[in-house]
Amino acid sequence: MSSPAVTDGDRLGGSPSDPYHGPAPPGSGRDRRRRRIRVVLAFAVFAVLLVMAVVIAVSLGPVRIPFADTVRAVLGDDSGEHAAIIDSIRLPRVLVALFVGAALGVAGAVMQALFRNPLAEPGVLGVSSGAAVAAVAAIVSGATAAGSWVLPVGAFVGALSALVLVYAVAAARRDRSIATLLLIGIALNALFGAVVSAMVTNAPDDEALRGVVFWLNGDLVARTWTHVQMVAAPAVVAVAAVLAFTRDLNVMLLGEAHAQASGVDVVRIRRILLVLAAVLTGAAVAVAGIIGFVGLVIPHLIRLLLGPDHRVLLPGAALVGGAFLVLADLLARMLFSPVTLQTGTVTAFLGAPIFLLLVLRRRRVVRA
C-alpha cells in the first residue's frame, strides 16, 4: 500500500527548503483549501497573461493594429482592413511561438522530474543536437531547395534518431539507468557538436553559413500556417499524453525504490516519458531552431511558485512557456525596430538572469 503522501496529491507540494524532492508535511484542511485557491488564482493569471501576450504580439509591428481589430481577426472576422496582415504574417508566427514555448516548457518539466535535477533541460539527452546535425546537413547540402518542409522534417527525424541512439548504446551496455542515459547524452552532445562545427567550417557559401547560424540560434522569421500545423499536432498530442502520467511523476519524485514499491513500472514509464519529451523537443526545434532557457527556466519558476505537484506544474509550464516565448519573440521584433534580433538571442538575454536569480533565491532558502 502506498503512503498517504503519495496518494494524496494535495500533500505533494514540496518542502519549503527543497521544492524538488519529496512531499510536504501533511497540512490542515484549511491549508489545502488555501493552496487550491492559490493554484486557481495562479492559473487564472497564467491564462490572462497568455491571451494578452497573443493579442499584443499580433497587434504590434511596423503597422500598428488596434487591439479590437486584432481580437476580431483572431476570432475569425476577416472583414477588417488588417485581416490579411494578421492572418498571413503575424498570427502564424505568434502561434508557432506559443506551441514551441509550451512544448519546451513541458519537456523541461519532464526532464527535471526524471533526472530529479532542476538544471536538466529538454536537450540533455542530445535531442536538440541530433536535430541540429540533420538541419545543418540539410542547409549545407542544399537539400532545403527541395521545399520548405525539408528542414523541419529533417530536424524532427534527427531529434528522434538521437534518442534512439541513446537507448541503443544503453541497451548495448545493458544499463538503462537514468545516470547512464545522462552520460550517453553528454557524450552524444559533444559528438554532435563536433559534427555541426565540421559542417559549418566547410559550408559551401556565405548564404548557407548564414542560414546555419540563424537556425542554431533559433528564430521565428517567416513562419507560416504550415509551420503551425507541423508543431501544433505533435505538441498537443504529446502534452496530453504527458498529463496522463502526472501521478507517476509525483511518485517518482520520492525515488525509484519508493516508486517501484508503490506499483510504478519505473523503467517503462521513464522510457515513455523520455520519448514524449523528445517528441516535444523535436517538434519545437524543427520549426524554430534551437531556443534555449525556456525548458530550463519556466518549469523551475512554476515549481518554486506552486510546488512540484505535476498536476499543476505541467499545465502551468505549458501556459507560461507559451506566453514567455510569444513575448520574447515580440521583443525580438520590436526592441530595436527596424533592426530585429533572433528569438533565441532574446530568450537567452531574458532567461539567463532570471535563472541566476532563481538559483540564488533557492540557495538563500536552503541556507535558512
Side-chain angles (χ1 to χ4, degrees), residues 52-364:
M52 291 181 60
V54 169
V55 172
I56 293 172
V58 173
S59 298
L60 297 182
V63 177
R64 301 296 177 94
I65 302 174
F67 290 160
D69 292 350
T70 299
V71 172
R72 285 195 295 270
V74 170
L75 294 177
D77 183 1
D78 58 358
S79 61
E81 60 177 315
H82 302 297
I85 296 176
I86 293 173
D87 185 66
S88 61
I89 299 176
R90 294 189 189 173
L91 188 56
R93 177 169 179 161
V94 170
L95 290 179
V96 168
L98 189 158
F99 285 116
V100 168
L104 291 177
V106 173
V110 171
M111 287 297 190
Q112 290 173 10
L114 293 178
F115 288 95
R116 303 185 70 204
N117 190 328
L119 298 180
E121 52 90 27
V124 70
L125 292 183
V127 174
S128 297
S129 299
V133 170
V136 172
I139 296 172
V140 171
S141 66
T144 52
S148 60
W149 55 270
V150 172
L151 181 58
V153 170
F156 186 74
V157 172
L160 296 186
S161 299
L163 184 65
V164 172
L165 184 56
V166 168
Y167 264 99
V169 175
R173 193 176 183 272
R174 299 180 183 275
D175 182 0
R176 295 182 177 87
S177 67
I178 204 69
T180 298
L181 295 176
L182 177 60
L183 292 175
I184 296 172
I186 292 173
L188 289 182
N189 271 319
L191 174 62
F192 291 154
V195 173
V196 169
S197 296
M199 288 191 290
V200 169
T201 303
N202 294 279
D205 52 54
D206 291 341
E207 183 178 352
L209 182 60
R210 182 180 177 85
V212 169
V213 171
F214 265 76
W215 193 90
L216 291 177
N217 287 337
D219 204 7
L220 297 174
V221 171
R223 293 305 178 263
T224 66
W225 287 107
T226 300
H227 296 97
V228 175
Q229 295 169 359
M230 288 179 179
V231 69
V236 171
V237 172
V239 168
V242 169
L243 290 175
F245 294 95
T246 52
R247 178 191 175 275
D248 299 303
L249 283 169
N250 283 346
V251 177
M252 290 171 69
L253 284 178
L254 301 171
E256 292 188 2
H258 190 109
Q260 289 173 345
S262 300
V264 176
D265 188 342
V266 174
V267 175
R268 172 178 168 273
I269 296 300
R270 182 199 299 147
R271 184 184 299 115
I272 293 173
L273 288 172
L274 285 176
V275 170
L276 291 174
V279 170
L280 288 169
T281 305
V285 171
V287 299
I290 298 178
I291 295 180
F293 283 99
V294 179
L296 179 63
V297 171
I298 299 304
H300 192 95
L301 177 63
I302 302 301
R303 189 180 290 107
L304 290 177
L305 290 175
L306 300 177
D309 185 348
H310 287 85
R311 296 176 305 173
V312 175
L313 175 60
L314 292 174
L319 291 174
V320 178
F324 176 79
L325 194 57
V326 169
L327 293 175
D329 185 56
L330 175 63
L331 288 177
R333 290 190 287 119
M334 300 298 296
L335 193 60
F336 298 109
S337 181
V339 177
T340 60
L341 299 175
Q342 289 185 262
T343 309
T345 301
V346 175
T347 60
F349 278 136
L350 295 175
I354 293 173
F355 186 70
L356 289 175
L357 289 174
L358 292 174
V359 170
L360 292 174
R361 177 187 178 278
R362 181 169 181 256
R363 290 192 63 182
R364 286 197 298 269

